[in-house]
Amino acid sequence: MKTKNWQKLIFCLSLTLCVTSFLVTFLLAFSYWQEKRQTIQKAKQNAKQEAVRAAQKIDAELRQLKDSTTSLANDLTSGKLQDEQLKDRLVRIMTANPDFYGIGAAYAPYAYDPEVQLYAPYYVKRDGQLQMLQIELSYDYTQPEQEWYNRPFSEGEVWNDPEFGQASNILNIDFSVPFYQIDRKNQKKNPRGVALGTYSFEQTKNFMKSLNLGETGYGTLLSNTGKFIYHPNESIVIENQSIFDEIKIQKDQVLKRQLEKAITGETVMIDYVNINGQSSWIFYEPIPSTDWILGLVFIEDELIGNSSSLQKKLIGILLGSIAFFVLLSILVFRGYQGSPKTLWAVSTSTSAFLVAGIGLIWYLAPNQKQLEHSENEQDENAIVVSEAGLEQFLGQDKFHKFQPKAGQESPIYVPTGVFVQSLEFTNANNVFVTGYIWQKYKKEVHDNISRGFILPESAGDKLAIKETYRHSVNGNIETIGWYFEATLRQNFDYSRYPFDNKDVWIRLWHKDFDKNVILVPDFDAYELMIPALLPGVEKDFVLPGWNLKESFFQYGLNDYNINFGIENYVGQENFPELYFTILIKRDFLTIFITNMLTPAIIAVLLFFIQSIVNRLSPLEAIEVTGAFLFIVILDQINLRQNILAAGLLYIDYFYFALYLLILLVAINSRLYSSRFNLPAFQYKDSLIPKLLYWPNLLGFLLIITLLVFF
């Protein structure tokens, strides 16, 4: 009767706790879902507002260009504007509209003057100065391939696909509209020429880069046929590619249908998983004045982030779920009855739930970007993947400390690029890196500074920098490239080893670091500065045991308690220093084989020893556990010799757990053979220690894993 009362009490207690843990977990899950949903909705709303704002801005600028060009054509047709007044009118239009790249008029053969075959004055704005070009001196614009001139006579006003202007020598977006000679007798309109307005691709690119699209989001412009008018990868525009070409390759019919809606003028939002497996949002907004479509791509994780509140709730859900399923297993397998069979079922299921919890943390934690700098340094770090991000960084109030003070020079910006060919860890804090670094120097702007850079982290004698090429563009911009080999000394964090990420970074100073020279990323040298696409990293990069995740430029604001003996040294306090960073993640299979397999096998063998403790004498048990202790010590020493890292590693706790297990197995063997009556150790051939072996070990590891990773 007494046993049944205990069974009933345990059943009621297990049922109560099971229901309680379920309710708590459910409430936490609901709260987590609600907070994340609200975060996503807010992020989507902000992204939508950015898309609408951008579309309205582009529409306003293009409409102004369209209206000005159309007004010019109408005045030429009506006679309100005489031919001899044309140049003055073009100058006034360009002066009043600083965003225009160019405007002009191209007359039909002999339409301007019976003795002049072609005449096409065209004003452009270059380097802030207004210049006049005569298009007819560069090429015959009446040839059939010149669509900007020929299409308007058959179609009326048209926006032309982007193309390189033969007169302007840049990628242009042209709007052209015909003007006529009206026959006063029959009021017939005879084509007399075409008015041309130009919005440069460079202006479009600068505007798109100024949008707030997160670290790796980007924008596109599409024509009403799906052709790219703007894309961050300029070659796609030059090759006249269409977005439907990409969709055809991907065979994504859902995306195709949504895009067809966008082309008809609808506002469309698409949830999309890109080629890197990242959840993305694509917003398509119509631009009414041109029938074009603005497409903005946002990476979901960058916008919603991972707040500490959500993280705490996620941990609560994990622990609550484990507690619920453990308690549920007691009820399902009738563990409250106390029979060995039911208790083994509960022990086994509990162990399985704990393993699942540890595995889930292993899966989630490495996906969080783990910077190797301290927390205070992280607050001052800024990842820049676009010119807009760079301008935003340089424009923030808290970064104005590097602006010139009395007696100091104004900042000089030097575009700098990095290409890493190989990377190898030589010890716990040294990494050997090879590759190319280049810099661009502009005439007059950079005349008073040296050419070159410094790698302040380089250690030892393994540093080689050799100039490999020097290229000049029109005698104005000089590009110098160096091949480098360097051993870089870095303070890596191994506390999560072997589930740690690494930020391998190359810090760059200009050679004249005593001057106010700021290195900036050479974004124009990279097709796409999307970190997941690994810009600046060799395509066939080999790094055994690691997976490359991202590469990007970032700035760190560093302070020095010395001035290097230089009076008015500008880099002493909060000076922005350029880093090129490669984020790498350990390969799980390599981790398991090299680091986790040995401790796991030893833990299993110890359990077998525990299972036959009734067949071993205390001396035999001590001999066996002593042998295991020797193996574990050697394995840990070998690991620490390979890592040579200070402080405790995550995997060290696995060895500590094994030491404790070895000690407990030896103690259990001694107490089992004791002449004293110890039911906890002697009951049914030491059943209780056997049942608690795996749950205790895995529970300890779960707690340690939570403390280390969160």
Side-chain angles (χ1 to χ4, degrees), residues 101 120-124 126 131-139 141 146 148 163-170 172 196:
Y101 174 76
Y122 179 62
Y123 279 86
V124 298
R126 289 178 174 173
Q131 299 180 17
M132 200 274 284
L133 305 176
Q134 290 293 151
I135 298 177
E136 75 276 6
L137 299 179
S138 299
Y139 63 96
Y141 54 80
Q146 303 302 326
W148 67 267
E163 62 179 0
F164 270 99
Q166 291 177 258
S168 61
N169 198 33
I170 67 166
N172 289 333
L196 172 69

mmCIF file of all heavy atoms in Angstrom, residues 101 120-124 126 131-139 141 146 148 163-170 172 196:
data_model
loop_
_atom_site.group_PDB
_atom_site.id
_atom_site.type_symbol
_atom_site.label_atom_id
_atom_site.label_comp_id
_atom_site.label_asym_id
_atom_site.label_seq_id
_atom_site.Cartn_x
_atom_site.Cartn_y
_atom_site.Cartn_z
ATOM 1 N N TYR A 101 22.468 64.667 -66.612
ATOM 2 C CA TYR A 101 23.814 64.475 -67.139
ATOM 3 C C TYR A 101 23.996 65.234 -68.450
ATOM 4 O O TYR A 101 25.043 65.839 -68.692
ATOM 5 C CB TYR A 101 24.125 63.002 -67.369
ATOM 6 C CG TYR A 101 25.468 62.808 -68.042
ATOM 7 C CD1 TYR A 101 26.646 62.945 -67.313
ATOM 8 C CD2 TYR A 101 25.559 62.556 -69.412
ATOM 9 C CE1 TYR A 101 27.886 62.820 -67.924
ATOM 10 C CE2 TYR A 101 26.797 62.430 -70.026
ATOM 11 C CZ TYR A 101 27.959 62.552 -69.277
ATOM 12 O OH TYR A 101 29.174 62.446 -69.885
ATOM 13 N N ALA A 120 24.062 68.379 -84.256
ATOM 14 C CA ALA A 120 23.501 67.863 -82.993
ATOM 15 C C ALA A 120 24.293 68.399 -81.812
ATOM 16 O O ALA A 120 25.222 67.744 -81.307
ATOM 17 C CB ALA A 120 23.505 66.332 -82.990
ATOM 18 N N PRO A 121 23.965 69.604 -81.324
ATOM 19 C CA PRO A 121 24.626 70.119 -80.118
ATOM 20 C C PRO A 121 24.116 69.375 -78.879
ATOM 21 O O PRO A 121 22.912 69.110 -78.751
ATOM 22 C CB PRO A 121 24.219 71.596 -80.097
ATOM 23 C CG PRO A 121 22.909 71.630 -80.827
ATOM 24 C CD PRO A 121 22.973 70.545 -81.866
ATOM 25 N N TYR A 122 25.041 69.066 -77.987
ATOM 26 C CA TYR A 122 24.692 68.238 -76.820
ATOM 27 C C TYR A 122 25.544 68.699 -75.638
ATOM 28 O O TYR A 122 26.778 68.649 -75.696
ATOM 29 C CB TYR A 122 24.966 66.771 -77.160
ATOM 30 C CG TYR A 122 24.691 65.774 -76.062
ATOM 31 C CD1 TYR A 122 23.419 65.603 -75.545
ATOM 32 C CD2 TYR A 122 25.723 64.966 -75.555
ATOM 33 C CE1 TYR A 122 23.166 64.665 -74.553
ATOM 34 C CE2 TYR A 122 25.481 64.020 -74.572
ATOM 35 C CZ TYR A 122 24.206 63.880 -74.075
ATOM 36 O OH TYR A 122 23.951 62.948 -73.094
ATOM 37 N N TYR A 123 24.885 69.201 -74.586
ATOM 38 C CA TYR A 123 25.599 69.683 -73.411
ATOM 39 C C TYR A 123 25.611 68.605 -72.325
ATOM 40 O O TYR A 123 24.581 67.983 -72.028
ATOM 41 C CB TYR A 123 24.937 70.948 -72.867
ATOM 42 C CG TYR A 123 25.343 72.197 -73.627
ATOM 43 C CD1 TYR A 123 24.671 72.579 -74.787
ATOM 44 C CD2 TYR A 123 26.405 72.980 -73.190
ATOM 45 C CE1 TYR A 123 25.045 73.714 -75.489
ATOM 46 C CE2 TYR A 123 26.788 74.125 -73.888
ATOM 47 C CZ TYR A 123 26.099 74.482 -75.033
ATOM 48 O OH TYR A 123 26.478 75.607 -75.731
ATOM 49 N N VAL A 124 26.793 68.388 -71.737
ATOM 50 C CA VAL A 124 26.950 67.396 -70.674
ATOM 51 C C VAL A 124 27.648 68.041 -69.485
ATOM 52 O O VAL A 124 28.332 69.066 -69.627
ATOM 53 C CB VAL A 124 27.757 66.166 -71.148
ATOM 54 C CG1 VAL A 124 27.042 65.450 -72.269
ATOM 55 C CG2 VAL A 124 29.163 66.572 -71.573
ATOM 56 N N ARG A 126 30.450 67.301 -66.730
ATOM 57 C CA ARG A 126 31.573 66.443 -66.379
ATOM 58 C C ARG A 126 32.425 67.116 -65.313
ATOM 59 O O ARG A 126 32.870 68.247 -65.495
ATOM 60 C CB ARG A 126 32.448 66.145 -67.607
ATOM 61 C CG ARG A 126 31.793 65.214 -68.613
ATOM 62 C CD ARG A 126 32.700 65.001 -69.807
ATOM 63 N NE ARG A 126 32.148 64.005 -70.723
ATOM 64 C CZ ARG A 126 32.675 63.735 -71.916
ATOM 65 N NH1 ARG A 126 33.754 64.388 -72.329
ATOM 66 N NH2 ARG A 126 32.120 62.817 -72.689
ATOM 67 N N GLN A 131 30.014 71.115 -70.453
ATOM 68 C CA GLN A 131 30.758 71.012 -71.704
ATOM 69 C C GLN A 131 29.782 70.799 -72.857
ATOM 70 O O GLN A 131 28.751 70.164 -72.696
ATOM 71 C CB GLN A 131 31.755 69.856 -71.662
ATOM 72 C CG GLN A 131 32.812 69.971 -70.579
ATOM 73 C CD GLN A 131 33.753 68.793 -70.589
ATOM 74 O OE1 GLN A 131 33.825 68.047 -71.556
ATOM 75 N NE2 GLN A 131 34.489 68.633 -69.495
ATOM 76 N N MET A 132 30.169 71.344 -74.034
ATOM 77 C CA MET A 132 29.328 71.176 -75.220
ATOM 78 C C MET A 132 30.008 70.206 -76.187
ATOM 79 O O MET A 132 31.173 70.349 -76.521
ATOM 80 C CB MET A 132 29.092 72.528 -75.900
ATOM 81 C CG MET A 132 27.854 72.534 -76.831
ATOM 82 S SD MET A 132 28.182 71.963 -78.511
ATOM 83 C CE MET A 132 29.007 73.397 -79.176
ATOM 84 N N LEU A 133 29.246 69.183 -76.607
ATOM 85 C CA LEU A 133 29.733 68.208 -77.573
ATOM 86 C C LEU A 133 28.897 68.325 -78.850
ATOM 87 O O LEU A 133 27.699 68.614 -78.793
ATOM 88 C CB LEU A 133 29.610 66.780 -77.024
ATOM 89 C CG LEU A 133 30.276 66.469 -75.682
ATOM 90 C CD1 LEU A 133 29.956 65.042 -75.262
ATOM 91 C CD2 LEU A 133 31.778 66.683 -75.758
ATOM 92 N N GLN A 134 29.539 68.094 -79.973
ATOM 93 C CA GLN A 134 28.814 67.988 -81.243
ATOM 94 C C GLN A 134 28.764 66.498 -81.600
ATOM 95 O O GLN A 134 29.762 65.911 -81.999
ATOM 96 C CB GLN A 134 29.508 68.786 -82.342
ATOM 97 C CG GLN A 134 29.445 70.291 -82.184
ATOM 98 C CD GLN A 134 28.035 70.849 -82.323
ATOM 99 O OE1 GLN A 134 27.707 71.861 -81.738
ATOM 100 N NE2 GLN A 134 27.167 70.205 -83.092
ATOM 101 N N ILE A 135 27.581 65.892 -81.417
ATOM 102 C CA ILE A 135 27.455 64.449 -81.604
ATOM 103 C C ILE A 135 27.859 64.028 -83.009
ATOM 104 O O ILE A 135 28.486 62.985 -83.214
ATOM 105 C CB ILE A 135 26.008 63.994 -81.297
ATOM 106 C CG1 ILE A 135 25.654 64.301 -79.832
ATOM 107 C CG2 ILE A 135 25.826 62.516 -81.586
ATOM 108 C CD1 ILE A 135 24.237 63.960 -79.453
ATOM 109 N N GLU A 136 27.544 64.858 -84.001
ATOM 110 C CA GLU A 136 27.817 64.475 -85.395
ATOM 111 C C GLU A 136 29.309 64.346 -85.682
ATOM 112 O O GLU A 136 29.706 63.681 -86.651
ATOM 113 C CB GLU A 136 27.174 65.478 -86.366
ATOM 114 C CG GLU A 136 27.889 66.814 -86.493
ATOM 115 C CD GLU A 136 27.513 67.804 -85.408
ATOM 116 O OE1 GLU A 136 26.775 67.398 -84.480
ATOM 117 O OE2 GLU A 136 27.937 68.969 -85.483
ATOM 118 N N LEU A 137 30.139 64.937 -84.804
ATOM 119 C CA LEU A 137 31.576 64.809 -84.989
ATOM 120 C C LEU A 137 32.092 63.464 -84.482
ATOM 121 O O LEU A 137 33.207 63.065 -84.829
ATOM 122 C CB LEU A 137 32.304 65.951 -84.266
ATOM 123 C CG LEU A 137 31.978 67.371 -84.745
ATOM 124 C CD1 LEU A 137 32.756 68.395 -83.939
ATOM 125 C CD2 LEU A 137 32.277 67.523 -86.240
ATOM 126 N N SER A 138 31.289 62.792 -83.644
ATOM 127 C CA SER A 138 31.703 61.497 -83.095
ATOM 128 C C SER A 138 31.190 60.324 -83.914
ATOM 129 O O SER A 138 31.887 59.326 -84.087
ATOM 130 C CB SER A 138 31.194 61.357 -81.647
ATOM 131 O OG SER A 138 31.723 62.369 -80.820
ATOM 132 N N TYR A 139 29.990 60.441 -84.467
ATOM 133 C CA TYR A 139 29.423 59.336 -85.248
ATOM 134 C C TYR A 139 28.187 59.828 -85.988
ATOM 135 O O TYR A 139 27.642 60.900 -85.701
ATOM 136 C CB TYR A 139 29.077 58.146 -84.356
ATOM 137 C CG TYR A 139 28.012 58.424 -83.303
ATOM 138 C CD1 TYR A 139 26.678 58.101 -83.530
ATOM 139 C CD2 TYR A 139 28.341 59.008 -82.080
ATOM 140 C CE1 TYR A 139 25.706 58.350 -82.578
ATOM 141 C CE2 TYR A 139 27.386 59.262 -81.125
ATOM 142 C CZ TYR A 139 26.074 58.933 -81.377
ATOM 143 O OH TYR A 139 25.111 59.184 -80.428
ATOM 144 N N TYR A 141 24.651 59.682 -86.293
ATOM 145 C CA TYR A 141 23.552 59.252 -85.422
ATOM 146 C C TYR A 141 22.305 58.813 -86.188
ATOM 147 O O TYR A 141 21.353 58.310 -85.581
ATOM 148 C CB TYR A 141 23.185 60.363 -84.426
ATOM 149 C CG TYR A 141 22.869 61.696 -85.040
ATOM 150 C CD1 TYR A 141 21.623 61.956 -85.595
ATOM 151 C CD2 TYR A 141 23.819 62.727 -85.036
ATOM 152 C CE1 TYR A 141 21.327 63.199 -86.147
ATOM 153 C CE2 TYR A 141 23.527 63.969 -85.586
ATOM 154 C CZ TYR A 141 22.283 64.196 -86.134
ATOM 155 O OH TYR A 141 21.983 65.424 -86.682
ATOM 156 N N GLN A 146 21.336 53.329 -84.149
ATOM 157 C CA GLN A 146 21.188 54.394 -83.164
ATOM 158 C C GLN A 146 19.701 54.550 -82.808
ATOM 159 O O GLN A 146 18.981 55.377 -83.346
ATOM 160 C CB GLN A 146 21.769 55.707 -83.700
ATOM 161 C CG GLN A 146 23.231 55.632 -84.105
ATOM 162 C CD GLN A 146 24.120 55.188 -82.957
ATOM 163 O OE1 GLN A 146 23.858 55.511 -81.793
ATOM 164 N NE2 GLN A 146 25.179 54.454 -83.289
ATOM 165 N N TRP A 148 18.169 55.631 -80.145
ATOM 166 C CA TRP A 148 17.715 56.849 -79.478
ATOM 167 C C TRP A 148 17.259 57.899 -80.496
ATOM 168 O O TRP A 148 16.391 58.721 -80.187
ATOM 169 C CB TRP A 148 18.821 57.426 -78.596
ATOM 170 C CG TRP A 148 20.024 57.961 -79.344
ATOM 171 C CD1 TRP A 148 21.168 57.294 -79.641
ATOM 172 C CD2 TRP A 148 20.182 59.278 -79.890
ATOM 173 N NE1 TRP A 148 22.041 58.093 -80.338
ATOM 174 C CE2 TRP A 148 21.463 59.328 -80.497
ATOM 175 C CE3 TRP A 148 19.373 60.415 -79.939
ATOM 176 C CZ2 TRP A 148 21.944 60.466 -81.138
ATOM 177 C CZ3 TRP A 148 19.852 61.555 -80.570
ATOM 178 C CH2 TRP A 148 21.126 61.580 -81.159
ATOM 179 N N GLU A 163 22.950 52.251 -72.737
ATOM 180 C CA GLU A 163 24.021 51.917 -73.677
ATOM 181 C C GLU A 163 25.138 52.941 -73.535
ATOM 182 O O GLU A 163 24.927 54.043 -73.009
ATOM 183 C CB GLU A 163 23.511 51.908 -75.116
ATOM 184 C CG GLU A 163 22.977 53.256 -75.598
ATOM 185 C CD GLU A 163 22.509 53.210 -77.039
ATOM 186 O OE1 GLU A 163 22.603 52.147 -77.656
ATOM 187 O OE2 GLU A 163 22.058 54.252 -77.535
ATOM 188 N N PHE A 164 26.325 52.577 -74.011
ATOM 189 C CA PHE A 164 27.447 53.497 -73.964
ATOM 190 C C PHE A 164 27.276 54.571 -75.024
ATOM 191 O O PHE A 164 27.099 54.279 -76.209
ATOM 192 C CB PHE A 164 28.762 52.753 -74.196
ATOM 193 C CG PHE A 164 29.391 52.253 -72.926
ATOM 194 C CD1 PHE A 164 29.236 50.940 -72.540
ATOM 195 C CD2 PHE A 164 30.116 53.119 -72.115
ATOM 196 C CE1 PHE A 164 29.806 50.485 -71.369
ATOM 197 C CE2 PHE A 164 30.687 52.670 -70.944
ATOM 198 C CZ PHE A 164 30.531 51.349 -70.566
ATOM 199 N N GLY A 165 27.300 55.813 -74.556
ATOM 200 C CA GLY A 165 27.217 56.924 -75.499
ATOM 201 C C GLY A 165 28.532 57.094 -76.240
ATOM 202 O O GLY A 165 29.587 57.196 -75.620
ATOM 203 N N GLN A 166 28.462 57.105 -77.545
ATOM 204 C CA GLN A 166 29.689 57.230 -78.334
ATOM 205 C C GLN A 166 30.290 58.621 -78.214
ATOM 206 O O GLN A 166 31.487 58.806 -78.406
ATOM 207 C CB GLN A 166 29.399 56.898 -79.802
ATOM 208 C CG GLN A 166 29.075 55.420 -80.021
ATOM 209 C CD GLN A 166 28.722 55.117 -81.464
ATOM 210 O OE1 GLN A 166 27.567 54.960 -81.810
ATOM 211 N NE2 GLN A 166 29.734 55.036 -82.318
ATOM 212 N N ALA A 167 29.486 59.587 -77.904
ATOM 213 C CA ALA A 167 30.012 60.940 -77.716
ATOM 214 C C ALA A 167 30.432 61.156 -76.264
ATOM 215 O O ALA A 167 31.494 61.708 -75.988
ATOM 216 C CB ALA A 167 28.972 61.972 -78.129
ATOM 217 N N SER A 168 29.598 60.706 -75.318
ATOM 218 C CA SER A 168 29.900 60.929 -73.900
ATOM 219 C C SER A 168 30.847 59.883 -73.331
ATOM 220 O O SER A 168 31.490 60.109 -72.313
ATOM 221 C CB SER A 168 28.594 60.914 -73.088
ATOM 222 O OG SER A 168 27.954 59.645 -73.209
ATOM 223 N N ASN A 169 30.906 58.703 -73.963
ATOM 224 C CA ASN A 169 31.790 57.612 -73.542
ATOM 225 C C ASN A 169 31.464 57.106 -72.137
ATOM 226 O O ASN A 169 32.344 56.673 -71.397
ATOM 227 C CB ASN A 169 33.255 58.042 -73.616
ATOM 228 C CG ASN A 169 34.196 56.842 -73.623
ATOM 229 O OD1 ASN A 169 33.851 55.786 -74.156
ATOM 230 N ND2 ASN A 169 35.369 56.994 -73.026
ATOM 231 N N ILE A 170 30.203 57.186 -71.748
ATOM 232 C CA ILE A 170 29.761 56.598 -70.489
ATOM 233 C C ILE A 170 28.460 55.855 -70.753
ATOM 234 O O ILE A 170 27.833 56.011 -71.806
ATOM 235 C CB ILE A 170 29.541 57.657 -69.382
ATOM 236 C CG1 ILE A 170 28.348 58.555 -69.747
ATOM 237 C CG2 ILE A 170 30.787 58.457 -69.112
ATOM 238 C CD1 ILE A 170 27.862 59.374 -68.577
ATOM 239 N N ASN A 172 24.760 55.419 -70.582
ATOM 240 C CA ASN A 172 23.696 56.420 -70.510
ATOM 241 C C ASN A 172 22.317 55.780 -70.444
ATOM 242 O O ASN A 172 22.100 54.666 -70.934
ATOM 243 C CB ASN A 172 23.729 57.332 -71.745
ATOM 244 C CG ASN A 172 24.923 58.269 -71.738
ATOM 245 O OD1 ASN A 172 25.427 58.620 -70.688
ATOM 246 N ND2 ASN A 172 25.366 58.649 -72.920
ATOM 247 N N LEU A 196 16.973 65.139 -77.025
ATOM 248 C CA LEU A 196 17.562 64.050 -76.244
ATOM 249 C C LEU A 196 17.908 64.529 -74.841
ATOM 250 O O LEU A 196 18.588 65.539 -74.666
ATOM 251 C CB LEU A 196 18.828 63.545 -76.948
ATOM 252 C CG LEU A 196 19.694 62.527 -76.198
ATOM 253 C CD1 LEU A 196 18.954 61.197 -76.092
ATOM 254 C CD2 LEU A 196 21.033 62.346 -76.898
#
